[in-house]
Amino acid sequence: MMLTALPSWLLADVDHIVQIIRERTSARAAVISIAGSQLLTAKREPIHAALVLLAAQFGTYRRERVQHAAAAAELIYAATQTHDALVDEGERRRGQHRTGTWEHPVALMVGDYLFALAAGEMALSPDARVINFYSQAVMRITEGTLMPPPPLFPLEQGCQQHFTRIRDTHAALYGAACRAGGACAGASTEQIEALGVFGEELGLALRLTQELHMFTTSNSEQQPITTMSLPLIFAAAQTDHARLLAALDTAAPNEQAWLRSTVQRYGLEPTQSEVRRIISQAHKMLEHLPAHAGRDLLAQLSVAVAHQSI
């Protein structure tokens, strides 16, 4: 739980954002219940909303000025996760494309509905730049999602394309949330940019920790590995990359077991090193911000992400 280190007053403001979202969606229960697994579940912390509030410390912090930007970030995240149901990574990896009607029209409609709710929240924000920050992030998320998965080999090409893809699909919204918070609080242009870069680095590191957990948590052994990840790319440089790629497309227990053990042997340590490097880059961006309790809280949050990678 990354947010537990935050002060009680800030956690109370995060809870207030969650309540706003529940109020917005309570009148549409029949629609939102379909996407209930993606919206403010007990298993997921509202990290994007928290980042908006934290970034708003670098200016004049008033909850009522930043709450709509924070709610919009969580609604956008829920919308993108709902739309993820429409993308089959295995098909894209093999160069196949769906034709005909959408296989999941309900997910498409619910995702669009959540985007519409997010747009309503953006419109209530006091700074018009919030709309631009989030719209740019959504465009990047869409473009990144439609990109083909990176190759497993060669290593340099695989890493470069994987970083590009997850910067768009995962890190972009973290950066937008930080920029939006700074703008709503009246932070300077330089501070807003530093906050945005920090957010993207944090989002990238957080996604890599999630990829590590695919191979390290007890629950992970019950799920077949079917998606591309940085640990896989590192492992492919040390072993039979063709077999690793084939193992991604099979549920055969023996191949999945070989894939998992191979990645655990060759892919975890270099990925953990990448997380530490990226967190270090994020900390450098904090040096552009004034000494402030908010800066310390952002640093603590990034340290919590680094600990998750261990």
Side-chain angles (χ1 to χ4, degrees), residues 63-114:
R63 189 181 67 187
E64 63 272 17
R65 288 185 57 83
V66 75
Q67 62 188 12
H68 299 295
E74 289 298 328
L75 287 165
I76 291 170
Y77 175 80
T80 58
Q81 293 301 294
T82 303
H83 275 174
D84 273 356
L86 300 172
V87 180
D88 186 308
E89 289 294 318
E91 288 183 0
R92 295 193 62 76
R93 190 170 57 249
R94 296 188 294 272
Q96 301 170 359
H97 301 278
R98 288 185 182 171
T99 58
T101 58
W102 290 103
E103 184 174 306
H104 303 291
V106 173
L108 176 65
M109 290 185 289
V110 172
D112 289 348
Y113 195 86
L114 292 170

Side-chain angles (χ1 to χ4, degrees), residues 69-198:
E74 289 298 328
L75 287 165
I76 291 170
Y77 175 80
T80 58
Q81 293 301 294
T82 303
H83 275 174
D84 273 356
L86 300 172
V87 180
D88 186 308
E89 289 294 318
E91 288 183 0
R92 295 193 62 76
R93 190 170 57 249
R94 296 188 294 272
Q96 301 170 359
H97 301 278
R98 288 185 182 171
T99 58
T101 58
W102 290 103
E103 184 174 306
H104 303 291
V106 173
L108 176 65
M109 290 185 289
V110 172
D112 289 348
Y113 195 86
L114 292 170
F115 275 126
L117 287 178
E121 292 301 313
M122 285 184 260
L124 295 173
S125 297
D127 193 304
R129 289 175 294 178
V130 168
I131 297 175
N132 182 59
F133 294 147
Y134 285 141
S135 63
Q136 291 293 323
V138 170
M139 285 190 285
R140 288 179 61 186
I141 291 168
T142 303
E143 292 167 356
T145 301
L146 294 176
M147 286 175 59
L152 271 180
F153 189 84
L155 176 63
E156 184 176 349
Q157 182 181 357
C159 287
Q160 181 181 14
Q161 292 187 22
H162 189 60
F163 279 150
T164 298
R165 189 166 189 254
I166 63 177
R167 279 189 180 279
D168 287 343
T169 56
H170 295 276
L173 185 56
Y174 288 88
C178 288
R179 289 184 172 94
C184 288
S188 69
T189 301
E190 293 76 14
Q191 290 170 353
I192 291 172
E193 182 57 24
L195 287 164
V197 176
F198 168 85

